[in-house]
Amino acid sequence: MAVAASGKWSLGGCQLGAGGSQRAVRSTEARPRFVEGSIVRIFMENFLTYDVCEVRPGPSLNMIVGANGTGKSSIVCAICLGLAGKPSFIGRADKVALFVKQGCLKGVVEIELSKTPDNIIITREIQVVNNTSTWFINRKPTTLKTVEEQIAALNIQVDNLCQFLPQDKVGEFAKLSKIELLEATEKSIGPPGMYQFHCELKNFREKERELENLCRDKTNSLEKMKQRIERYKQDVERYHERKRHLDLIEMLERKRPWVEYENVRQQHEEVKQRRDQAKEELKNLKEMQSPVTKKIQETEEHFKSLDMKIRDKAAEIKDTSQKCKQKQDSLEMKDKQIEEINQALRMKKDEEMDRQRKIHNTHKMIEDWKNELDKMVVCENLQPQTDAVNNELKKLQEERANIDSDISDLTAEKMNQEREKNRLIDRLGQLNNIMNMKEENLKGRFRDTHTALMWLRKNKDKFKRKVCEPIMLEMRDHQKLRVNAVCAPAESCAESLPSRPIEELHRYGFFSYLRELFDAPHPVMSYLCSNYRVHDVPVGTEKTRNMIERVIQETKLKQIYTAEEKYIVKVSAYTNLTLSTNISLRAAQFLTSSVDTDERRQLENQQQDINNMLKSLDMRLTTLLERQKHLERRDNELRQQKKELLERGNRRRQLESKIGVKYDSLRQLEQDAINLEKESQLANVKIKEINTEKAKLVTELMHLIKNCISLNILKADLVLQSATVAAEKSRLESEYKAASVQLRAAEQQFHELDDRKRVLTENCKELLKKARQVCKLSPDQYLPKEFQTAFQALPTTLEEIDAFLNEEKNRASCFTGLNASVVEEYNKQTQEIQQLTDYLEEKKNELDNYKQNISQVKERWLNPLKKLIEQINEKFSNFFSSMQCVGEVDLHVENEEEYDKYGIRIRVKFHSSTELHELTPYHQSGGEKSVSTMLYLMALQELNRCPFRVVDEINQGMDPMNERRVFEMVVKTACKESTSQYFFITPKLLQNLTYNDKMTVLFVYNGPFMLEANKWNLKAFCRRRRRLGRMDEQ
């Protein structure tokens, strides 16, 4: 029995051992030599399921057996990754760091390969942190490229499914196309250079196709170019003819700027002479205008002097006139004083006449009163009558005061009642508006219910008991309206108590039960409490929502409300578990605006009482007002009687008093007499004094008037002199203005000529510059003689040049579509034809060489390939024949020249009643594909050039009979002397299989009671197993 080192898991350990039947046991010394490149040792540390493990496989067939999940495929992963394979080859993960054991930062895989004279040890350290690997060869650091070169030199191909077939890639083998299968077979067992010859053939064929296409395209291009160059000959001749015309046009265009320059230069000389003449004329005009200007200035100064004198005289005249006006005002004032004195005297006379009239009237009034007093009898005693009237007035006033007080109280009471009535009307209006809104909402959503409500309000007398709006049972039966109706419970439940006080639920955020949050008629509330238990449904806050799980567990409530959600709690009848569901509350639709019907009824009753009260108050006020009017009339009558009595008693006393007053007034009037003669003398004296002052003022006024007249005469003389000077000034200014107009005209003419000279100078410069540029001359270079000679043969005027130029241009325009590129293109095409002819000859020679190379390489590749496929077919057919099936392998060729389409075709037949079918991913069953894949790999085994082959769990889909047959073939083929190393991984083996002494069987176990690797003793295990066997037999 071959012994392999063991390893273990730290959790549920994995131990690896080797063993087999008794006849398979052999010593290490008898083991054959390893094929160069085969695996001698596999070491794993912190890799997938292993902590530390070392595996030493045999040189021939290695059976790795263990239950699923024990770590068999981990050894396959270690072989692939340790030999520079990529994670994608395995198909398990995309990062190499994922193959490191979980919880570790680094993993190690070490593969020892057989090689003469010394084995090669390849080590790969995998870092989890940055998903990188470090490589070593024989414990020395190296690079991945060096490792790949060493592995390629030993013909190890972990990416070739014909050599390395991991568990997750088994299904992909059947999916290989014929072309891919051929390439994999060439790489795996083909002679050295076969795959390279195949690649060269494909490259040569690709180059051959490219050269054939190139030669064909170039030949067509050459023919087209030859046809095109024939057309170019005529175009070249027409081009030269056109160029002669263009050269003449160019010479005409060169001369034309010089002619333009000469014309403008002559104009410039003429304008320059005219400008000099205008400049001289302008100078003479300015000299003639200078004396006139000086005389105008002198006249202006004389006019200003006269104007100043006139203003001074006008000021003196104004001052004298002001003094005259003051004297006139003084005279008028004296006249007013005389008038005032006369007015005062007249007023005295009028006052005296008025006094005399008043005295006469007073005497007459006194006489009349005395006569009336004499006629009056002695006054009778009126006091008793007066007292009786006063007593009656006092009683009447007391009664009126009482009535006024009652009226005031009743009026205040009426106003209070009316205010209360208005308040009730406003409140009822608000309630009616809310009710109308609710009714309209009800009508829009539930028309039948609204119809039932209207009928109920009109027919309430038809019901024995109270029906709450809008629910009604009777309506649904007779009018066939779709209206839901319910009956309140016979025993009232509106006052039912909750199961626990709300205070006990405060700590959970509950603040009230649902019943306390709305009002409803007593029957409705009783129905809601009975059917929906609203008196026992608590309402919580956000605090309740945040601790809802605790609330459900501790309170055992069946139904809970929060501001936004409703929670329903049930207990499962099967599992006795508490189940809760929450529902988001919908926005309110019907109860957003509620009406208190009791309040409305109470308000209507209060309104009726107030109306009755107002009627009673109006009747009482009417009675009191009529009584008040009667008392007022009686009061007026009594007051009139009292007045007449008082007047009768006071008339005599009044007359005596009036007569005394008039005597006093008469004495005062007699004392106020005025002396009119004395007053007249005083007035005359004052008037005389004023007249004296007036005479003095008149004398002064006359003197001032004379002075003012003399000043006006002097001013008039000065004005005349000023007018004469102004006329002279106007004459001089007119003459100056006429001279100025002539001067400005001369200046304008000079400036125009000067501007024109400047413009012509610039034009001359520009035309000269343009002419030099056209002839390509420098600024200081004269016109060359060859140009002068050519210009002499051309027209001399612009008109002739333009006409000649247009004629030549028309002739040149007849040669359309021609330019210098025609000749260049003609020469270029001629050169390109020669170059293309040489290039085409070169490529044809190169194509002949490729065809010769293809023929040579094809012979070296195709003949060995056919022999190789014949050998594979022979072994593959034998394997299938031994299983009473049919299988063939042949070379599939669509076109002998298309070397990239060559492939290996596998055809199989598992049933005698069917035909041979190509192996595809879809036609055969899973077991049939596994058998076909395994037998093909067996057919490659003896022809294999690779040092080892790995097949992982390929027998999973086989039936027992095929599995036994395939196993026997694997043992027979892989244990031959000439074959390479073979790894066969399987989770189970059939009983009573045939084994070979050259086999190595590696068992993989795992479990919590596994021994550590260094404590495993195979011999002790065998002795113990034999002892247990004897005990079983006894």
Side-chain angles (χ1 to χ4, degrees), residues 789-936:
T789 304
F791 288 169
Q792 289 177 357
L794 299 175
T796 57
T797 64
L798 286 176
E799 291 76 6
E800 293 174 349
I801 289 174
D802 289 339
F804 197 15
L805 189 61
N806 289 331
E807 183 180 353
E808 290 299 318
K809 285 184 178 179
N810 290 332
R811 290 177 180 176
S813 64
C814 294
F815 302 94
T816 57
L818 298 175
N819 49 40
S821 61
V822 174
V823 178
E824 295 177 1
E825 185 66 22
Y826 178 78
N827 297 331
K828 182 180 177 182
Q829 289 289 334
T830 304
Q831 185 179 359
E832 287 181 356
I833 287 174
Q834 184 60 39
Q835 291 176 354
L836 185 57
T837 304
D838 298 339
Y839 179 77
L840 186 58
E841 186 65 26
E842 180 185 350
K843 291 300 177 182
K844 287 181 178 180
N845 295 333
E846 186 178 351
L847 178 59
D848 294 338
N849 293 333
Y850 267 108
K851 289 182 177 180
Q852 186 177 359
N853 291 335
I854 289 173
S855 177
Q856 295 174 358
V857 175
K858 180 179 179 181
E859 184 177 357
R860 297 171 61 186
W861 169 73
L862 189 56
N863 293 333
L865 177 61
K866 290 180 177 180
K867 293 179 181 180
L868 180 63
I869 293 176
E870 288 176 359
Q871 295 174 4
I872 297 172
N873 180 48
E874 181 181 358
K875 295 184 179 296
F876 188 74
S877 299
N878 292 336
F879 288 146
F880 262 83
S881 297
S882 64
M883 296 177 61
Q884 287 80 43
C885 299
V886 179
E888 291 182 0
V889 176
D890 59 0
L891 182 64
H892 179 74
V893 180
E894 294 180 359
N895 185 348
E896 290 188 1
E897 301 300 326
E898 301 296 333
Y899 303 107
D900 54 346
K901 301 294 179 63
Y902 277 63
I904 290 179
R905 180 174 61 180
I906 300 176
R907 297 191 298 165
V908 296
K909 182 175 74 169
F910 287 91
H911 307 285
S912 58
S913 59
T914 60
E915 298 293 332
L916 280 170
H917 289 285
E918 185 177 343
L919 180 64
T920 63
Y922 315 107
H923 190 272
Q924 289 79 17
S925 65
E928 291 174 347
K929 286 186 286 189
S930 298
V931 170
S932 301
T933 301
M934 193 66 190
L935 294 183
Y936 184 80

Side-chain angles (χ1 to χ4, degrees), residues 402-637:
N402 292 332
I403 291 174
D404 290 341
S405 177
D406 293 341
I407 291 174
S408 178
D409 293 342
L410 290 175
T411 303
E413 179 66 19
K414 182 179 179 181
M415 292 175 65
N416 292 335
Q417 293 296 329
E418 288 178 347
R419 281 197 296 270
E420 182 65 18
K421 179 181 178 181
N422 292 333
R423 186 187 68 80
L424 294 176
I425 291 172
D426 292 341
R427 181 57 182 162
L428 284 171
Q430 294 176 2
L431 295 178
N432 289 332
N433 288 337
I434 296 174
M435 182 61 71
N436 291 335
M437 289 171 57
K438 292 182 67 177
E439 289 179 4
E440 289 298 325
N441 192 10
L442 180 65
K443 182 178 180 181
R445 295 179 63 89
F446 306 104
R447 182 171 295 276
D448 285 356
T449 306
H450 181 267
T451 303
L453 177 62
M454 296 296 102
W455 185 90
L456 173 64
R457 289 181 179 176
K458 296 177 181 178
N459 298 275
K460 283 188 176 182
D461 56 333
K462 296 181 180 181
F463 295 91
K464 294 180 179 180
R465 295 187 182 183
K466 181 178 181 181
V467 178
C468 298
E469 299 178 355
I471 304 170
M472 186 180 66
L473 177 62
E474 187 73 15
M475 286 295 300
R476 180 179 58 189
D477 297 334
H478 288 81
Q479 297 192 15
K480 296 183 180 180
L481 297 176
R482 300 180 62 185
V483 179
N484 294 328
V486 295
C487 294
E491 184 178 352
S492 177
C493 300
E495 306 298 332
S496 299
L497 297 176
S499 59
R500 68 190 83 180
I502 192 63
E503 290 77 10
E504 295 182 5
L505 301 177
H506 282 171
R507 58 195 179 101
Y508 299 110
F510 294 105
F511 62 91
S512 175
Y513 283 105
L514 194 60
R515 180 179 60 185
E516 277 67 38
L517 298 181
F518 67 94
D519 293 326
H522 193 275
V524 176
M525 184 65 75
S526 176
Y527 174 79
L528 294 176
C529 291
S530 174
N531 287 66
Y532 298 101
R533 301 188 60 80
V534 295
H535 64 286
D536 204 24
V537 178
V539 181
T541 60
E542 188 67 23
K543 177 181 177 181
T544 310
R545 183 181 179 186
N546 294 335
M547 56 187 300
I548 190 63
E549 294 183 359
R550 178 183 168 193
V551 171
I552 292 172
Q553 293 176 0
E554 295 182 2
T555 61
K556 307 299 182 182
L557 293 168
K558 302 299 182 183
Q559 197 171 4
I560 299 170
Y561 277 86
T562 62
E564 298 178 356
E565 292 179 333
K566 170 186 176 182
Y567 295 86
I568 299 174
V569 183
K570 296 180 180 180
V571 178
S572 175
Y574 301 98
T575 61
N576 203 28
L577 295 176
T578 301
L579 306 175
S580 64
T581 57
N582 63 313
I583 304 170
S584 296
L585 296 179
R586 294 182 297 176
Q589 298 180 4
F590 299 105
L591 300 181
T592 52
S593 301
S594 59
V595 178
D596 190 342
T597 54
D598 292 338
E599 181 187 4
R600 182 179 178 185
R601 191 179 303 107
Q602 185 178 2
L603 291 174
E604 291 174 351
N605 294 335
Q606 290 178 3
Q607 185 181 18
Q608 186 64 33
D609 294 341
I610 289 173
N611 290 333
N612 296 334
M613 178 64 73
L614 287 173
K615 289 180 181 179
S616 175
L617 291 174
D618 289 338
M619 293 174 63
R620 292 172 60 187
L621 277 173
T622 302
T623 304
L624 290 173
L625 289 173
E626 290 178 356
R627 180 60 181 169
Q628 186 183 38
K629 289 179 181 179
H630 174 72
L631 292 176
E632 286 179 356
R633 288 193 299 272
R634 181 58 184 164
D635 182 83
N636 291 333
E637 293 174 356

Side-chain angles (χ1 to χ4, degrees), residues 987-1002:
K988 47 88 178 176
L989 289 174
L990 298 175
Q991 296 180 358
N992 301 321
L993 292 174
T994 301
Y995 297 95
N996 191 290
D997 292 341
K998 294 181 181 180
M999 289 175 57
T1000 301
V1001 182
L1002 304 173

Side-chain angles (χ1 to χ4, degrees), residues 276-292:
D276 294 340
Q277 294 175 0
K279 184 176 181 181
E280 186 67 24
E281 184 180 354
L282 179 64
K283 182 179 179 182
N284 295 332
L285 288 173
K286 286 183 178 179
E287 291 176 354
M288 292 172 60
Q289 196 176 19
S290 179
V292 178

Side-chain angles (χ1 to χ4, degrees), residues 51-101:
D51 291 334
V52 177
C53 178
E54 187 176 77
V55 180
R56 292 186 178 272
S60 297
L61 177 60
N62 291 275
M63 300 290 297
I64 302 176
V65 185
N68 290 328
T70 55
K72 306 184 302 301
S73 296
S74 298
I75 300 173
V76 177
C77 296
I79 294 172
C80 179
L81 297 179
L83 296 177
K86 298 179 181 178
S88 59
F89 296 166
I90 305 170
R92 285 197 170 191
D94 57 348
K95 294 182 180 179
V96 71
L98 298 176
F99 289 88
V100 177
K101 186 173 183 179

